[in-house]
Structure formats: C-alpha cells, structure tokens
Amino acid sequence: MSRIAEVEIRRARRRFAHRMPRTVWVAIGLTVMGCAGFALDGDLVVSSRVADDGATPGDPALIEVTAQNTGDSRIQWGNGSSSCQLSLVVRVDGEDWRAIDRRGCTLDYAPQALGAGESRTETIPWGGEVLRKGSQGPVMRLEPGVYEVRGAAGDVASSAPVAVRVEAES
C-alpha cells in the first residue's frame, strides 16, 4: 500500500471510526490501494532546466521544473499545497536528499495531479540547502561544489539530472 493511501485511511478512520465496522475499513483500504495503483498508470514526464546555476542562500539558483502528463488518464502523485506541487532532489554522496527551497506555498491541502495532456511548470529557487530524505532535520548547507539536481513530482517521477554549482557564501 502506498504511503499516501495509508495516511488517507488513518485520517478517515479517526473521523468516522464510530460509524463504520472494521470490515468496512478493510474494504476501503483495498479500494484505496487499487485506486492508488491505478492513479499512477499513465505517462508522467518531468524535465528540469537551470536558469541560473550558482546557488547561495542569498542568491539562489533558479531551476524550472515541468511535469507533463502524456497519457490519456489523470495522474496523481500526492496531496499538499496547490501552489508547490513539484520539488527538487539533490544527489549527495550517492544518496538522494530533498532540496530545501524556502518557497512561500499556499497552506491548502489539494490533490497534486495532472489531467490527461496537462502540464505544470514551477520555477524553484534553491540556495544549496538539503534535508536527508525521510528525515525531519536538521537542514544542512552543502559544501561548495557541483551537484546533480532533479525535478520531481513526489516519488512518482523525476527528471534527468542537471548540474548546479553551490558557491561559498561571501
């Protein structure tokens, strides 16, 4: 079962536990698992382009990330802010780390998805800060050097890497 499905089932259980017997929750879980697998069928293509490749916290690199659904069905890769649906992943010592981009995102909770034939582009400023994937902290500033950065639509699809230079702070 996907992490998204697990979270949605737990949330629904808390809200409606007193109204539904346990067997209904098992059926809902199986339905969500099937839908999560179905929702990811299709062709989600992510690409990245570096507009400005020198990254410091005061003068971040600008990375344009585009996700395009080339399939004929809707693809959903997560839930969260409707204004910050795409993200960056940075390769550090052979591991993928989540880029911390300090964008101002709306505080709504919406499906992160594209309909058939739709695309979405976000320009993400990145100042060279990362968070180890699956970790809650601390945020780390990378040492100066060149890093592979990929645009991502959740854990569903990511772009080919682009090179971004992290510069020393002056």
Side-chain angles (χ1 to χ4, degrees):
M1 180 181 326
S2 77
R3 182 164 166 72
I4 295 168
E6 289 176 33
V7 170
E8 293 301 321
I9 290 170
R10 267 189 258 129
R11 186 174 291 130
R13 276 186 186 159
R14 282 192 296 261
R15 289 178 62 197
F16 303 107
H18 62 284
R19 297 183 197 161
M20 291 188 200
R22 186 168 180 77
T23 53
V24 172
W25 287 114
V26 171
I28 289 173
L30 293 173
T31 302
V32 170
M33 282 175 31
C35 290
F38 177 77
L40 301 180
D41 289 343
D43 300 302
L44 186 62
V45 177
V46 179
S47 61
S48 296
R49 183 177 72 81
V50 180
D52 176 17
D53 72 341
T56 65
D59 187 21
L62 298 176
I63 303 159
E64 186 177 272
V65 179
T66 300
Q68 182 177 15
N69 180 351
T70 59
D72 56 3
S73 61
R74 181 175 189 268
I75 298 174
Q76 181 173 339
W77 58 88
N79 291 297
S81 171
S82 64
S83 65
C84 297
Q85 296 191 21
L86 305 174
S87 61
L88 299 173
V89 176
V90 182
R91 193 79 160 159
V92 180
D93 297 328
E95 263 186 83
D96 286 338
W97 291 49
R98 190 171 61 126
I100 302 299
D101 58 55
R102 311 270 185 209
R103 286 183 285 177
C105 302
T106 56
L107 296 177
D108 60 348
Y109 187 76
Q112 295 176 330
L114 290 172
E118 290 182 338
S119 67
R120 176 180 186 82
T121 300
E122 295 179 15
T123 300
I124 302 174
W126 181 59
E129 296 175 314
V130 293
L131 181 66
R132 185 183 298 267
K133 243 183 163 181
S135 167
Q136 297 299 317
V139 172
M140 285 183 26
R141 167 98 174 112
L142 292 175
E143 293 293 322
V146 177
Y147 294 88
E148 289 184 356
V149 178
R150 290 178 283 120
D155 291 330
V156 175
S158 63
S159 70
V162 294
V164 178
R165 183 175 23 88
V166 173
E167 300 173 345
E169 292 186 75
S170 47

